[in-house]
Amino acid sequence: FSHNPCLKRRHILNSLLLTTTSATTLLTFPPIANAGEIGTKITNVVTQSDLGVAVRKSVVRGAQVFDGVDRSWEKFSDDFGLGAERQK
């Protein structure tokens, strides 16, 4: 797929989003199997705290921005016939 710039761009955007989401999850949530009662309390604080809500909103907003960039690039590509290979 490295020959198709659309697929390469989408792969990069997906990788960035996955990395950001994974890093956020790893930094804020203990593993469920090891969480126990204290872990549950920590998870509740993190998910219901202003910081936890802000992080989740930031991740969602980042995904929306990436989606907008991808949509704009695809429109640009289509307007100038750069997506001809995609149509084959």
Side-chain angles (χ1 to χ4, degrees), residues 6-85:
C6 290
L7 291 177
K8 185 175 181 182
R9 183 183 79 256
R10 286 177 189 259
H11 178 73
I12 291 170
L13 292 175
N14 285 337
S15 295
L16 285 171
L17 181 60
L18 180 61
T19 301
T20 302
T21 304
S22 296
T24 301
T25 302
L26 289 174
L27 291 174
T28 57
F29 297 108
I32 299 297
N34 299 329
E37 183 180 337
I38 293 174
T40 301
K41 289 180 181 179
I42 292 171
T43 300
N44 288 339
V45 169
V46 169
T47 58
Q48 297 172 5
S49 69
D50 290 341
L51 177 61
V53 171
V55 168
R56 287 195 318 277
K57 283 184 178 181
S58 177
V59 169
V60 169
R61 182 66 186 132
Q64 290 170 336
V65 169
F66 278 130
D67 189 43
V69 168
D70 186 51
R71 187 177 20 246
S72 296
W73 177 258
E74 191 167 349
K75 182 179 181 328
F76 172 83
S77 177
D78 290 346
D79 288 348
F80 291 96
L82 302 174
E85 288 296 318

